[in-house]
Amino acid sequence: MDPFADTLQRLREAFDSGCTRPAEFRAAQLKGLSRFLQENKQLLQEALAQDLHKSAFESEVSEISISQNEINSALRNLRAWMKDEKVPRNLATQLDSAFIRKEPFGLVLVIAPWNYPLNLSLEPLVGALAAGNCVVLKPSEVSKSTEKVLAEVLPRYLDQSCFAVVLGGPQETGQLLEHKFDYIFFTGSPRVGKIVMAAAAKHLTPVTLELGGKNPCYVDDNCDPQTVANRVAFFRYFNSGQTCVAPDYILCSPEMQARLLPALQSAITRFYGKDPQSSPDLGRIISEKNFQRLRGLLSCGHVAIGGQTDESDRYIAPTVLVGVQETEPVMQEEIFGPILPIMNVRSLDEAIEFIRRREKPLALYAFSNSSQVVKRVLAQTSSGGFCGNDGFMHMTVASLPFGGVGASGMGSYHGKFSFDTFSHHRACLLRRPGLEKVYALRYPPHTPRNLRVLLAAMETRSCSCALL
Amino acid sequence: MDTISEVVQRARAAFNAGKTRPLQCRVQQLEGLRRLIREREKDLVGALAADLRKNEWTAYYEEIVYVLEEIDYVIKKLPEWAADEPVEKTPQTQQDEPYIHSEPLGVVLIIGTWNYPFSLTIQPMVGAIAAGNAVVLKPSELSENTASLLATILPQYLDKDLYPVISGGVPETTEVLKERFDHILYIGSPGVGRIVMMAAAKHLTPVTLGLGGKNPCYVDKDCDLDVACRRIAWGKFMNSGQGCVAPDYILCDPSIQNQVVEKLTKSLKEFYGEDAKKSRDYGRIINSLHFQRVMGLMEGQKVAYGGTGDATSRYIAPTILVDVDPQSPVMQEEVLGPIMPIVCVRGLEEAIQFISQREKPLALYVFSLNDKVIKKMIAETSSGGVTANDVIVHTTVPSLPYGGVGGSGMGSYHGKKSFETFSHRRSCLVRPLLNEEALRARYPPSPAKMPRH
């Protein structure tokens, strides 16, 4: 029993009919997405609150507004992005028309995660629709309330011959992945990323994988601890730490650690009050399973700040761990929770070496008053993205591509990069039938005389130009 | 004798030591490659002659020159491409520096193919070197002379640790695919493409796959048939039809089929004489297996020209088949040989339908004097690339990406696209550690007027 075959067939037929090609159709879809957000704001905020205890502020800033901005940008730029891109010609093609035509791939699958269940479903969707594809969205079954809104409400705002939401857990997703798609966009863990890519390989389907990693946060001795603590704490405990680009651990000297700890405590208290559990601004852990996993990590090193938990509420206090060993679990897996371990290094060199020994992360942070230090960390490491002296602000800049490298992913999106990711860039050269004499030199028989003539011509031009 | 694993580890160690970071070092390696070509051209031509019966003209103008052009172009552009690229700021980042910083990926594996064994292996290598990577090369064992020559001379001109050549066949390729790379570029068949991508998935290695396909060539009734057929004959029968962007088959109206045959034949005789076997410029099939395969495709078909072959020299005459049935074997697989099937279709609509029902090809060709026909053909089909009113040449423009789509591949390269393919474009935002006051608004507790749950 294949629950997906009919839906996929229907979407494929719609794509083949050509209905998604005109800009008007695509713009109408994007406007539909926009209306979905505007008309269901409260419903969405409630769903996000139910799933992750997201505050209205976090929902607005990191889910709704950010999606709305992507939609607006796509609407504004759609026609410009769709235009054929003329390219410089070489000597042999001066009289031809050379351009890159952006074409939709066809049937696109977007698999979304649970931590930003709205934004990480809609942002890729915007790109895929703008590029003229038909889209199947598989939202995360873990963020149940948002899944429900996406499944029941979202399709009403889009042309359902070209868009479908499919539901299910790992087993159903595996079944879905047996089908052929023309592009797969996956956000989630590296472990599942491998499964997705292997499934895509069977159909030679290109993929973008937005994965995770342990994002290092280097804090130099030369900086103001309170400023750093504010910024690190804000980005670490946002969404209760369940962010793929959150600073995962700090690297600093023991001296800096001593200055950071009180500063972190001060920031946490200012942000969430003396009893963070009662703050409306602190999220909750998505599931019982993750709660247990995170609670287990609290026994690594020792707790310098926080450490309180409440299973009935899936609450974990904003926590800082110190005295952690590299071999302990908290330094072996992506934390994805409100726990911040501090690892000591004795120098910038040691910090860089520590980072380079490990998998390339999705994000990397360096804090220092010295721009030389910041630039050095950048130059001697690799990561999906980088921010000097702040947390994941780099992903709010739409003109920067957002994506990983190595184990943290492949491909990128946001803004125009989304449109380009979901498009095939077709090289086109339009030539005229005339000027046949010019091309005659390329035809056999290739006499030694011809060769001499050509070599001589090249010599005068001092270039090895192809004569096609 | 080092194991494959040791060779790859050494390349990685050399990369990690930072040898490839300075642009000057990359340029030096590229200049070494250029010297290799200039100094060893005779040897290269000799190897290509032994593998595919290329001569000094075809070896140079159909392979070597493209690599030289790529090297020159890339050396010239490298400082521009490698520089940080500032991007547009947002209202919140007016005081900051947002930019894209290009970095090498690390160790790149290039698995080459046999039909253009020099250019299809080395041209992508140029981009990978320019982007600052170490490159492990695995040339195709089918073009054994070129593979063996590359294994000998590359270490004489390039850094041995950074750019090793791995020799061997399927077992060695299987072995090397177990290693972890930071990008794999494979050119070859879809079947092996799947295997490569599956191996890459284990390490989350991004891939560029240049696969094949049946490149359709639509010849409109409204076109200059003399010119069209000459250009088609040139692109199809060079290298004895063994080109991944060669026009694979012709689609035309039955009313012009005879003329097409006549004019193709005329051009073939002009190019290769009455007996192509005697022509210096006509190639040979790479090996017996492919010889048998291609000869087999002629079975049961109506031969309008050619149709003969000689197994000892692996020669197959330039052959034209007419009234070909779309269900027949010659229309089921990429020909990759000097056989041109002509399939009759009535008009543009039918041609478009015919093409759209099949796998997306690497290249698509359309010949017409009518711009509307060309526009419609392009708009209603998909393919890696297109040339209108000629064949192949879209792949020679450095500013156009070269790659497939769907069954014909993923990713692309050539020129700047190579540099991008083999680089990580890292998003960077650098802020000052000041202005904390300005940022306070973003911190909790959220404003009292926001609804609470």
Side-chain angles (χ1 to χ4, degrees):
Chain A
M1 189 36 220
D2 184 343
F4 306 115
D6 286 340
T7 304
L8 298 182
Q9 176 68 8
R10 184 166 51 84
L11 258 51
R12 235 185 224 300
E13 277 165 15
F15 180 77
D16 288 341
S17 78
C19 64
T20 62
R21 309 304 282 257
E24 294 73 28
F25 179 88
R26 305 181 198 188
Q29 299 309 299
L30 295 172
K31 289 183 182 143
L33 275 183
S34 191
R35 271 195 330 272
F36 164 71
L37 280 180
Q38 284 158 12
E39 292 174 15
N40 296 283
K41 199 175 237 200
Q42 190 172 354
L43 186 64
L44 287 165
Q45 280 176 343
E46 280 162 11
L48 293 164
Q50 267 154 41
D51 284 330
L52 290 141
H53 198 260
K54 269 193 219 231
S55 64
F57 178 79
E58 277 198 16
S59 292
E60 184 56 49
V61 150
S62 67
E63 297 258 25
I64 297 170
S65 283
I66 209 169
S67 302
Q68 187 64 65
N69 288 344
E70 275 286 298
I71 297 168
N72 294 345
S73 165
L75 276 167
R76 223 176 23 246
N77 294 296
L78 183 61
R79 282 165 173 80
W81 292 349
M82 283 174 70
K83 269 208 175 82
D84 287 338
E85 189 188 314
K86 288 201 161 60
V87 298
R89 293 160 296 186
N90 58 4
L91 207 57
T93 49
Q94 277 304 308
L95 303 161
D96 307 319
S97 169
F99 57 92
I100 299 172
R101 162 74 51 96
K102 310 287 170 80
E103 303 180 338
F105 280 108
L107 184 55
V108 169
L109 171 63
V110 174
I111 302 176
W114 51 259
N115 57 336
Y116 290 85
L118 180 65
N119 163 16
L120 295 178
S121 295
L122 291 190
E123 279 202 69
L125 185 56
V126 168
L129 291 174
N133 298 285
C134 285
V135 186
V136 174
L137 172 65
K138 164 55 197 97
S140 171
E141 73 284 10
V142 179
S143 39
K144 287 188 178 40
S145 303
T146 312
E147 185 200 34
K148 191 158 190 283
V149 179
L150 290 172
E152 292 172 12
V153 182
L154 176 58
R156 294 185 220 147
Y157 290 82
L158 298 174
D159 185 325
Q160 293 188 50
S161 63
C162 302
F163 172 77
V165 177
V166 300
L167 305 180
Q171 201 182 6
E172 290 78 13
T173 308
Q175 236 185 330
L176 184 63
L177 284 168
E178 279 168 20
H179 291 271
K180 179 176 177 173
F181 293 93
D182 301 304
Y183 204 93
I184 298 177
F185 186 99
F186 170 78
T187 308
S189 72
R191 185 188 68 83
V192 181
K194 288 179 182 171
I195 296 172
V196 171
M197 189 172 172
K202 293 200 176 82
H203 295 290
L204 289 170
T205 300
V207 301
T208 289
L209 305 175
E210 299 268 329
L211 310 176
K214 289 184 75 58
N215 306 320
C217 181
Y218 172 70
V219 181
D220 197 37
D221 282 350
N222 175 8
C223 71
D224 170 47
Q226 192 59 65
T227 305
V228 173
N230 292 345
R231 296 178 186 196
V232 174
F234 175 62
F235 287 100
R236 165 81 274 192
Y237 303 114
F238 196 92
N239 200 24
S240 204
Q242 298 163 115
T243 310
C244 43
V245 281
D248 187 279
Y249 64 96
I250 286 180
L251 284 169
C252 69
S253 67
E255 295 74 38
M256 192 61 217
Q257 178 180 300
R259 296 163 73 203
L260 264 181
L261 283 172
L264 283 167
Q265 178 69 78
S266 163
I268 290 169
T269 307
R270 224 174 330 112
F271 294 170
Y272 308 111
K274 287 216 159 66
D275 174 26
Q277 193 173 8
S278 59
S279 162
D281 294 314
L282 187 63
R284 294 293 182 266
I285 307 307
I286 184 69
S287 67
E288 182 58 29
K289 182 168 145 212
N290 270 13
F291 173 84
Q292 297 297 353
R293 178 184 66 80
L294 286 164
R295 193 162 65 174
L297 297 180
L298 292 171
S299 53
C300 300
H302 62 265
V303 173
I305 298 174
Q308 299 85 2
T309 67
D310 180 350
E311 187 166 350
S312 65
D313 194 19
R314 294 200 303 275
Y315 162 79
I316 296 183
T319 298
V320 177
L321 301 177
V322 295
V324 163
Q325 299 300 317
E326 204 180 334
T327 47
E328 295 187 84
V330 79
M331 285 307 293
Q332 294 298 313
E333 59 185 74
E334 186 176 357
I335 293 169
F336 230 62
I339 299 170
L340 180 64
I342 303 181
M343 299 281 304
N344 291 138
V345 285
R346 282 161 304 190
S347 65
L348 178 56
D349 281 333
E350 204 183 306
I352 289 174
E353 207 248 322
F354 185 94
I355 293 168
R356 285 170 62 106
R357 270 208 310 273
R358 303 166 137 256
E359 290 294 348
K360 293 175 189 175
L362 186 55
L364 201 150
Y365 303 106
F367 287 84
S368 177
N369 283 327
S370 158
S371 67
Q372 262 166 334
V373 168
V374 170
K375 292 247 150 85
R376 212 181 126 201
V377 175
L378 173 63
Q380 295 182 339
T381 59
S382 189
S383 62
F386 175 91
C387 189
N389 292 325
D390 210 356
F392 46 86
M393 281 305 289
H394 61 288
M395 58 169 291
T396 66
V397 182
S399 49
L400 287 174
F402 178 63
V405 65
S408 56
M410 57 183 78
S412 61
Y413 71 124
H414 281 189
K416 180 167 195 272
F417 300 101
S418 290
F419 184 87
D420 284 342
T421 285
F422 288 108
S423 302
H424 165 51
H425 298 222
R426 190 180 191 189
C428 300
L429 188 72
L430 306 187
R431 180 158 275 193
R432 305 230 148 260
L435 298 165
E436 190 59 358
K437 283 205 168 60
V438 175
Y439 307 123
L441 270 174
R442 70 186 188 185
Y443 301 131
H446 304 308
T447 60
R449 184 180 170 278
N450 269 0
L451 186 59
R452 278 197 301 274
V453 166
L454 285 164
L455 288 172
M458 273 166 37
E459 220 95 11
T460 25
R461 279 218 200 92
S462 62
C463 71
S464 53
C465 50
L467 35 78
L468 299 177
Chain B
M1 196 49 217
D2 284 325
T3 64
I4 284 174
S5 193
E6 282 164 351
V7 167
V8 176
Q9 292 323 312
R10 236 205 334 272
R12 194 166 279 293
F15 173 77
N16 285 339
K19 283 175 161 192
T20 60
R21 301 312 282 256
L23 294 193
Q24 196 41 46
C25 296
R26 308 180 198 179
V27 170
Q28 264 166 17
Q29 297 301 313
L30 293 174
E31 284 167 348
L33 207 48
R34 193 161 50 193
R35 252 189 353 266
L36 177 156
I37 296 174
R38 296 237 152 93
E39 291 173 11
R40 309 302 287 263
E41 199 190 317
K42 265 208 166 65
D43 295 324
L44 283 169
V45 173
L48 291 166
D51 285 327
L52 290 144
R53 201 172 183 267
K54 298 197 192 206
N55 60 30
E56 67 279 355
W57 204 105
T58 54
Y60 194 82
Y61 276 102
E62 290 163 12
E63 281 215 58
I64 295 172
V65 76
Y66 295 112
V67 181
L68 280 174
E69 271 205 334
E70 183 88 359
I71 294 173
D72 288 342
Y73 184 70
V74 163
I75 289 179
K76 191 169 95 174
K77 293 286 200 179
L78 185 56
E80 182 193 315
W81 294 345
D84 287 342
E85 186 191 322
V87 300
E88 196 184 324
K89 301 184 188 187
T90 58
Q92 295 86 13
T93 51
Q94 286 300 312
Q95 314 297 328
D96 312 318
E97 296 168 47
Y99 57 94
I100 299 173
H101 175 75
S102 285
E103 311 179 332
L105 290 169
V107 183
V108 170
L109 171 65
I110 293 177
I111 302 176
T113 189
W114 54 262
N115 55 342
Y116 288 86
F118 182 69
S119 61
L120 288 182
T121 319
I122 305 298
Q123 198 171 352
M125 190 191 191
V126 169
I129 293 175
N133 301 286
V135 185
V136 175
L137 220 58
K138 166 65 193 70
S140 170
E141 69 281 11
L142 262 60
S143 39
E144 53 191 0
N145 296 284
T146 311
S148 153
L149 179 66
L150 287 176
T152 311
I153 62 177
L154 269 171
Q156 293 169 6
Y157 289 83
L158 298 180
D159 185 306
K160 280 193 282 290
D161 294 330
L162 285 168
Y163 313 110
V165 180
I166 296 191
S167 303
V170 172
E172 286 75 12
T173 307
T174 308
E175 203 53 41
V176 80
L177 282 170
K178 290 189 187 138
E179 298 294 317
R180 184 178 181 181
F181 293 96
D182 301 292
H183 195 103
I184 298 176
L185 183 140
Y186 166 74
I187 302 174
S189 72
V192 179
R194 284 189 187 89
I195 295 172
V196 171
M197 192 171 171
M198 296 228 43
K202 294 199 174 79
H203 296 293
L204 287 170
T205 299
V207 299
T208 296
L209 304 176
L211 309 176
K214 290 186 73 62
N215 306 321
C217 184
Y218 173 68
V219 181
D220 195 36
K221 274 201 283 198
D222 176 17
C223 91
D224 183 336
L225 277 179
D226 276 309
V227 172
C229 291
R230 188 173 313 114
R231 295 181 181 184
I232 292 169
W234 165 74
K236 170 77 194 188
F237 295 97
M238 73 160 75
N239 199 21
S240 206
Q242 297 163 111
C244 26
V245 284
D248 186 279
Y249 64 98
I250 286 176
L251 287 170
C252 71
D253 193 278
S255 64
I256 58 169
Q257 188 179 221
N258 287 343
Q259 280 184 78
V260 168
V261 171
E262 187 197 302
K263 290 173 195 293
L264 282 173
T265 304
K266 177 163 169 282
S267 290
L268 285 170
K269 289 184 180 164
E270 278 169 16
F271 295 167
Y272 305 115
E274 288 291 332
D275 179 8
K277 197 167 184 209
K278 300 201 174 90
S279 162
R280 278 196 75 239
D281 299 315
Y282 192 71
R284 295 293 182 267
I285 305 303
I286 184 69
N287 64 15
S288 307
L289 198 69
H290 277 277
F291 174 86
Q292 299 298 345
R293 179 187 65 79
V294 178
M295 288 300 292
L297 294 177
M298 289 192 228
E299 267 166 48
Q301 299 290 349
K302 239 198 236 158
V303 176
Y305 183 74
T308 56
D310 168 39
T312 349
S313 58
R314 295 195 307 273
Y315 161 80
I316 298 181
T319 298
I320 304 171
L321 305 176
V322 292
D323 295 325
V324 175
D325 176 0
Q327 306 302 328
S328 56
V330 76
M331 286 306 291
Q332 300 307 314
E333 62 181 77
E334 190 176 353
V335 173
L336 224 57
I339 298 178
M340 179 63 102
I342 302 181
V343 174
C344 291
V345 289
R346 283 174 206 284
L348 182 59
E349 280 295 347
E350 204 182 306
I352 290 174
Q353 224 191 358
F354 187 93
I355 293 169
S356 305
Q357 276 162 4
R358 299 164 148 259
E359 285 288 353
K360 296 173 190 176
L362 185 53
L364 188 148
Y365 301 112
V366 47
F367 284 82
S368 178
L369 289 168
N370 184 341
D371 277 343
K372 288 204 175 78
V373 166
I374 294 174
K375 273 197 161 66
K376 192 168 152 76
M377 173 59 84
I378 297 178
E380 295 180 20
T381 59
S382 189
S383 64
V386 181
T387 297
N389 289 323
D390 205 343
V391 296
I392 299 177
V393 290
H394 65 280
T395 67
T396 68
V397 183
S399 51
L400 283 176
Y402 174 60
V405 65
S408 56
M410 60 181 78
S412 56
Y413 58 107
H414 278 188
K416 185 174 190 204
K417 202 78 197 85
S418 282
F419 184 84
E420 287 173 4
T421 290
F422 295 116
S423 297
H424 170 51
R425 300 184 76 213
R426 188 181 190 189
S427 293
C428 300
L429 182 68
V430 181
R431 315 197 94 174
L433 200 56
L434 310 162
N435 301 325
E436 189 58 1
E437 278 312 307
L439 296 176
R440 281 197 183 260
R442 69 185 182 182
Y443 300 139
S446 47
K449 68 184 193 304
M450 292 225 89
R452 309 258 161 149
H453 299 296

